[in-house]
Amino acid sequence: QLDENKDPIPGTEDQISNNDLNGRKVTFRLPIPNSIKTTQVKITHVFSDGSGSETMVLEVKGDAENGKYIEVSVTRFSKFILTPY
């Protein structure tokens, strides 16, 4: 949750809702299984309100030893579908 200055309220960092985002973009890391060997993945972001989806092709970062991930930027949270690309 965010306070009046749009800063996280201590102890609630893992409880951000779509309303808290208020249309602002947030970027986070999504872990990628080591079984995916491609250097890019296709992410389909399915909007929870039923209004549609968006598809992004993103570069896989990191490595098998330290963990692979992608950086995703969105303005709302909902379901993500990952496909090797």
Side-chain angles (χ1 to χ4, degrees):
Q1 295 178 354
L2 304 177
D3 64 16
E4 64 278 355
N5 297 319
K6 305 294 183 198
D7 294 319
I9 297 171
T12 65
E13 292 85 356
D14 61 346
Q15 301 175 16
I16 296 174
S17 72
N18 284 336
N19 290 336
D20 294 329
L21 293 178
N22 197 26
R24 293 180 300 165
K25 188 175 282 190
V26 62
T27 300
F28 61 95
R29 290 182 176 182
L30 189 62
I32 300 298
N34 285 333
S35 61
I36 294 181
K37 304 299 183 196
T38 60
T39 59
Q40 294 181 318
V41 293
K42 180 173 75 171
I43 292 290
T44 301
H45 182 199
V46 181
F47 304 141
S48 58
D49 63 5
S51 65
S53 65
E54 67 179 326
T55 299
M56 303 167 263
V57 175
L58 300 172
E59 178 184 346
V60 175
K61 299 181 179 184
D63 56 44
E65 183 176 326
N66 297 304
K68 297 188 327 184
Y69 64 92
I70 55 172
E71 291 183 348
V72 181
S73 296
V74 296
T75 57
R76 56 181 150 179
F77 295 114
S78 54
K79 181 178 179 179
F80 294 91
I81 299 170
L82 172 76
T83 307
Y85 187 74

